[in-house]
Amino acid sequence: MENIRTASQILRVMMEEGKLERTGNKDLFMSYISEPGIQEVLHAMTEELDAQVLRINNILYLIPSTENQLLGFRNKDVRDWLGSNVRQADAFLAYYIVAVIFNLFYGGKNRDPKQREFLSLVAVMEEMDRRTRDCLEHPEKTEELEQEYSMNFMNIAQNWDIKKGFEEGSRLTTKMGFLLRVMRLLQQEGLLRISENEKEIRTTDKLDDLMLHYYLNDDRVEEIQRIFKEEHHAEN
């Protein structure tokens, strides 16, 4: 019974805070790493939630599966965050922006794939412009990519292209406004930090941990690189 109680306390902290750190919850952390019985109970609980516990150094993370409808993001969640009147296409555009940002930060090919410590939002906007322009100018190649990856790149490109250019502000009809809305969602989840002047973004320790120790294993890196490489070649 004590193992169940402790495992439940650990799960609650991870669900509320997204992680459990030794510095803030030393007793729970030490109980987890020293008691196999607690690990077994917690494993059973998270398995029922379609998630898993990932330990990286002195931090425990709760990682939902990609299909998780309880702990993971749903299209409705993203649309609600962006605004009540946004379309499904806006949610897919937001996903693509996140993928581009992560690729810009972690697209290296060496043992440490992180390529930079910060990004300017103007640089992100220019990268989005380049990629969407390639899609729009090479529809045949774009269609091949859509069939291979079951992703509507043309729709994403058109949705980005119709937004106003370098106008600043928070409106979703502008490129900068849409970018900022997506960045604020990532900041709320503890994955990015936006500078005070809202011109730059930096990754957090949490995002570095998850990307470098979980999401970017060899198979995932190879697949991500292949998708972005093939999309880039659409201009050739």
Side-chain angles (χ1 to χ4, degrees):
M1 181 63 71
E2 187 61 32
N3 284 351
I4 295 176
R5 182 177 292 108
T6 302
S8 299
Q9 292 172 346
I10 293 172
L11 181 60
R12 178 176 179 176
V13 172
M14 289 192 296
M15 291 184 68
E16 290 179 347
E17 302 181 13
K19 60 184 178 180
L20 186 149
E21 297 185 78
R22 178 174 179 172
T23 53
N25 295 276
K26 183 177 180 180
D27 291 342
L28 290 177
F29 183 87
M30 295 305 298
S31 295
Y32 174 83
I33 66 173
S34 62
E35 295 292 340
I38 292 175
Q39 295 181 27
E40 292 177 5
V41 173
L42 190 58
H43 174 76
M45 290 178 172
T46 55
E47 189 174 46
E48 286 297 314
L49 292 172
D50 196 18
Q52 64 175 293
V53 177
L54 176 67
R55 177 190 172 189
I56 300 176
N57 299 321
N58 291 320
I59 302 177
L60 302 178
Y61 292 104
L62 182 63
I63 310 295
S65 74
T66 55
E67 303 298 326
N68 193 298
Q69 294 294 307
L70 176 62
L71 301 176
F73 274 109
R74 299 168 296 177
N75 289 339
K76 181 180 182 300
D77 298 326
V78 176
R79 291 174 65 181
D80 287 345
W81 171 261
L82 292 175
S84 58
N85 296 322
V86 302
R87 302 166 298 159
Q88 185 76 358
D90 290 314
F92 289 126
L93 175 58
Y95 298 148
Y96 186 73
I97 289 172
V98 172
V100 168
I101 289 171
F102 287 176
N103 186 66
L104 289 172
F105 272 119
Y106 303 101
K109 298 180 180 180
N110 51 29
R111 296 185 64 182
D112 182 2
K114 190 174 184 183
Q115 300 184 106
R116 49 180 58 85
E117 293 300 320
F118 68 91
L119 274 171
S120 72
L121 289 185
V122 170
V124 176
M125 186 187 305
E126 291 174 346
E127 181 68 7
M128 284 293 300
D129 284 340
R130 183 185 69 80
R131 291 184 176 278
T132 54
R133 183 174 61 250
D134 290 345
C135 287
L136 295 171
E137 292 179 354
H138 302 88
E140 293 183 359
K141 182 62 177 179
T142 300
E143 185 177 355
E144 292 178 8
L145 292 174
E146 289 179 341
Q147 293 177 355
E148 183 172 359
Y149 297 110
S150 299
M151 187 172 185
N152 195 332
F153 290 110
M154 182 62 73
N155 183 267
I156 290 171
Q158 292 170 341
N159 193 20
W160 174 261
D161 190 57
I162 63 174
K163 297 185 184 301
K164 297 178 182 179
F166 281 82
E167 292 186 24
E168 296 188 2
S170 59
R171 292 179 300 168
L172 294 178
T173 54
T174 70
K175 294 178 178 179
M176 183 59 74
F178 196 92
L179 274 178
L180 278 172
R181 193 73 62 90
V182 176
M183 297 307 97
R184 288 167 185 155
L185 174 59
L186 294 175
Q187 180 171 256
Q188 176 180 287
E189 295 302 311
L191 301 175
L192 290 180
R193 296 192 303 272
I194 306 173
S195 64
E196 290 187 8
N197 61 7
E198 296 190 328
K199 301 294 185 183
E200 294 179 350
I201 53 175
R202 294 177 182 269
T203 64
T204 62
D205 291 341
K206 177 181 178 179
L207 182 59
D208 286 343
D209 281 346
L210 296 179
M211 295 298 288
L212 301 179
H213 297 281
Y214 179 71
Y215 288 109
L216 292 183
N217 63 30
D218 292 341
D219 292 339
R220 291 189 181 94
V221 169
E222 183 178 348
E223 178 69 7
I224 291 170
Q225 292 289 350
R226 189 163 68 90
I227 293 172
F228 278 93
K229 181 179 179 181
E230 290 187 10
E231 184 190 354
H232 174 70
H233 287 341
E235 62 183 313
N236 296 329

